[in-house]
Amino acid sequence: MKATIYDVAQAAGVSIATVSKVINQTGRISDKTRKHVYEVMEKLKYEPNMVASALTKKSTYTLGLTLPDLANPFFAEIARAVEDRGREYGFSVLICSTDNDPDKEVQYLSLLTQKRVDGIISAARIQNDHFLKKMLQHHIPFVLITREMPTLAVDTVMVDDFLGGYLAGSHLVELGHKRIAILVEDMDNTSNLERIRGCRQAMAASNVMLDEGLVLISGYSVECGKSTMKELLSLDERPSAVFACNDLLAIGAIQAAREVGLQLPSDLSVVGFDNTTLATIIDPPLTTISQPIQEIGRRAVDLLIQEIKQEKVLKQRVVLLPDLVLRKSSSAINER
Amino acid sequence: MKATIYDVAQAAGVSIATVSKVINQTGRISDKTRKHVYEVMEKLKYEPNMVASALTKKSTYTLGLTLPDLANPFFAEIARAVEDRGREYGFSVLICSTDNDPDKEVQYLSLLTQKRVDGIISAARIQNDHFLKKMLQHHIPFVLITREMPTLAVDTVMVDDFLGGYLAGSHLVELGHKRIAILVEDMDNTSNLERIRGCRQAMAASNVMLDEGLVLISGYSVECGKSTMKELLSLDERPSAVFACNDLLAIGAIQAAREVGLQLPSDLSVVGFDNTTLATIIDPPLTTISQPIQEIGRRAVDLLIQEIKQEKVLKQRVVLLPDLVLRKSSSAINER
DNA sequence: TTGAAAGCGCTAACAC
DNA sequence: GTGTTAGCGCTTTCAA
C-alpha cells in the first residue's frame, strides 16, 4: 500500500496538517520539523496523492488538448509546444485525437470535463458548435487554436489565414502564373475558406481570375492530395501552379506531379501551408506559408492559464501573421 | 458552481447512492427511477466528477506515456496508437516528452505517480535505471516499448533490433556493397547497439568486414544526420552504402548526399529504420526496416491493462519482428 | 508554530 | 430497490 499523509504524519510525530504545509510550502513551519518531515517522506517513499489534493483544491493541474490527429506532424508539433509551455506552469496535458469525428469530439470534451481538467485547448475542428457553446457556459477555460469560430466569444490563437492565402496567391501571380489550382482538405471550416479567399483576392489584384473549377476538395492526407492532383493533371489545360491548403496536400501534389513525369518547379509550382518539418524533407523543398507553431502553442497556454488563474476576464482573439517561406517548389512560369 | 451528485439526488428526490448506481450501472435500480435520474442529470447538466470517483475507486482511468519527443513523427505515431488502444478500454493518456533528459525523466515519472495514473508506458530511453527499479517496486503497472532493459524484469514490447540490423545489412551486402557506413543516434541504448550488431553480423556472414571507423554517432535529428553524413562523404574512400539507425538520420543522409551532387541510389544506397511516414515522402523513397508501430502501441496497452486489472502476473517481453521495406533508396552497387 | 476537524464529491458495504 | 454511512487522501480554516 502506498504511504499516505497519515503515515508520514504518524512516523514524523506531527499532524497531517503540518505535513500538508511542508508539502505545499504554505503556512509557517519551523526548519526543524520541515526537515524532519522531509526525511520521513523520503524514507517512506511518500508520493503526495494529487487526485486527493485535486478534490479539495479544485485544480488538477492538467490541461486537455483536442486535435484532429496526433500522428499528423503539424498537430504533433502543436502538441509538443503546448506540452512544453504547460510544463513551465506546472501543468500536464491530456491529449485527444478526434479525427474530426463529431461523436469523438463530444465524447472527448465531455470526458475532459469529467476528469476536471483545468482548461482545454482545442485545435479540433469542432463540428458541434452548439456543444461548444454549452462548454463555455460551464465556464471551463477554453482556447481555440489554429481556427476560429466567428460566432462565438471564445479565446483564440490563430494565424491570419486570409493573409496566408494572399501571400501564397501573390507569390504565384508574381511568378507569372495564371492558371492556378487550389487543393483544399474540406470547405467546412473557416480557415480553409479564408485561405482560398486570400489567394483569390491576391490573384484578382493582379487581374488573374481564379477558375473555380480548379478549386478541388481532396480530403485529408498525402494520399488524398496525390489522387486529387492526378485528376487536376489529367485536365486538358492543366494548371501551372497549385496552392495546397496544407503541407500534406502539397506533398501529395508534388508526388503526383512527379509520378506523371513533370519536373518541379519548372512544369508545376506548388505552395503549401503550415511549414511543418515535412516541407524540408520533400524534394523539391516546399515553398510554403509558415504558421508559428511554437508561438501558437505558447500563447494558447498563456491565455488558458491566465483564465484559469482568473487573472483575466477579457476574451481575445490573437491573430499571428504568417510568412511566405521560399524554397524550391515554386518558380517563374515556364512558357513553352 | 458545477452540480454534484447531491444536487442530482435532491432534485430527483432520491439518495446519492441511487444516483451513483445509475451513473455506474451497478446494483439494481427500477427503470422508472433510472430514467428520472437521467432526466435530472440532463437538466442540471451534471457531469460526474472523476477525480472524486478516482479517489474512492483508486483508479483514474488514465495512462502515462513518456517518450523522447512528441514532435518526432515516430513517437507521434506511437502516441496515437497508444491513445487509440487506450480509448478502447476507456483510458485517456497523459503524454510526457523527456528529450532524453534524465532530470525530466525522473520528474515526469514522479509526476505521473503523483497523479496516480493507472499505468505507465515508456518509450523514453530512461537513463536512470535505478529510478525505474524504484518505480517497479511501487508496483505501478509499467511497460517499456521500443527498447529493452536487459537487467530488469519489466514488461516490454519491442522489435527485434538485431534482426532489423541484420536485414538491413544483408540487403546491402546482397546488393554488392562492401563499404558500408552506419549512422547511429547514440550508443547508450541497447536498441542501437543491437541494430549495429545485426548489421555487422549480416555483413560478416558474407565475409564483408565492417570498418568500425565508418560507424558514426551523429545525434538525434535530420540535421545531425546530414552533417555527419557530410563528414562521411568527405572521406577519401567514401562508403557506397549507409545504414541509418532511424529514418530521421537516413533522411539527413539522403539530403547530404544530394547536396554534394550524388545520385541516389546509384551513387549511394541508404537504408533506414522505423518506416515512419517520412520514408514515403523523401525522394527517393526510403528503403527501411519497418517497426509495426500500431501493433507496438496496441500490445503495450493490452499488457498494461491486463496488469492493471490484475489479470496477469507473468511479466513478458514481446518481441515483434521487423520487416525490410524495399523502396528506391537502395540498389546494387555501381562499379565504375 | 502546530493541530483538530470539517469538508471536497464520490463509491461501496450494509441495512432496510 | 433504495438509503445511510463510513471512508478515499488531502487542504484549510480556526483554535490553541
Side-chain angles (χ1 to χ4, degrees), chain A residues 33 67 81 92 119 151 172 187 207 210 223 235 271 296 303:
Chain A
T33 37
L67 31 71
S92 17
T151 60
L172 258 12
M187 297 286 218
N207 294 310
L210 172 60
E223 272 318 305
L235 258 36
V271 175
I296 291 174
L303 274 182

Side-chain angles (χ1 to χ4, degrees), chain B residues 264-278:
Chain B
L264 271 72
S266 55
D267 295 334
L268 181 77
S269 284
V270 177
V271 175
F273 205 115
D274 287 347
N275 194 29
T276 55
T277 49
L278 300 184

Side-chain angles (χ1 to χ4, degrees), chain A residues 167-221:
Chain A
L167 292 173
S170 341
H171 173 61
L172 258 12
V173 160
E174 277 165 20
L175 291 172
H177 295 279
K178 306 229 179 302
R179 228 177 132 56
I180 298 174
I182 299 182
L183 244 45
V184 58
E185 184 184 335
D186 62 59
M187 297 286 218
D188 311 331
N189 92 338
T190 334
S191 293
N192 290 150
L193 261 20
E194 284 296 289
R195 290 175 194 183
I196 294 173
R197 193 170 68 86
C199 184
R200 181 187 292 117
Q201 186 152 327
M203 291 167 66
S206 298
N207 294 310
V208 178
M209 282 305 118
L210 172 60
D211 177 348
E212 300 294 339
L214 293 183
V215 179
L216 267 62
I217 298 176
S218 76
Y220 151 75
S221 74

Side-chain angles (χ1 to χ4, degrees), chain B residues 263-326:
Chain B
Q263 293 292 322
L264 271 72
S266 55
D267 295 334
L268 181 77
S269 284
V270 177
V271 175
F273 205 115
D274 287 347
N275 194 29
T276 55
T277 49
L278 300 184
T280 62
I281 287 175
I282 185 79
D283 180 73
L286 186 65
T287 292
T288 190
I289 305 299
S290 79
Q291 300 216 44
I293 297 187
Q294 303 306 318
E295 189 67 14
I296 291 173
R298 193 188 159 86
R299 298 289 284 269
V301 172
D302 288 352
L303 275 182
L304 199 62
I305 302 285
Q306 284 176 33
E307 208 176 317
I308 289 170
K309 298 198 173 157
Q310 316 214 31
E311 293 169 352
K312 170 183 75 73
V313 260
L314 239 52
K315 303 270 187 197
Q316 51 192 287
R317 183 136 58 207
V318 176
V319 181
L320 270 10
L321 302 186
D323 246 346
L324 173 68
V325 178
L326 283 170

Side-chain angles (χ1 to χ4, degrees), chain B residues 116-134:
Chain B
R116 296 296 191 269
V117 295
D118 295 331
I120 296 176
I121 293 179
S122 176
R125 149 156 73 68
I126 296 177
Q127 318 275 358
N128 193 335
D129 71 332
H130 173 66
F131 186 78
L132 184 52
K133 208 170 296 180
K134 240 174 50 187

Side-chain angles (χ1 to χ4, degrees), chain B residues 172 177 179-184 213-219 221-265 267-271 286 329:
Chain B
L172 258 13
H177 294 280
R179 226 174 133 58
I180 298 173
I182 299 183
L183 244 44
V184 59
L214 292 184
V215 179
L216 266 62
I217 297 177
S218 76
S221 75
V222 173
E223 272 318 305
C224 296
K226 194 161 159 183
S227 62
T228 311
M229 191 66 205
K230 288 236 171 118
E231 282 176 41
L232 225 33
L233 292 176
S234 65
L235 258 38
D236 285 344
E237 208 185 343
R238 69 165 57 135
S240 69
V242 49
F243 166 43
C245 288
N246 66 243
D247 285 355
L248 252 29
L249 298 182
I251 285 167
I254 290 178
Q255 291 183 342
R258 311 188 85 186
E259 279 189 17
V260 302
L262 296 185
Q263 293 292 322
L264 271 72
D267 295 334
L268 181 77
S269 284
V270 177
V271 175
L286 186 65
S329 66

Side-chain angles (χ1 to χ4, degrees), chain A residues 5 20 24 46:
Chain A
I5 200 171
S20 174
N24 298 291
Y46 171 68

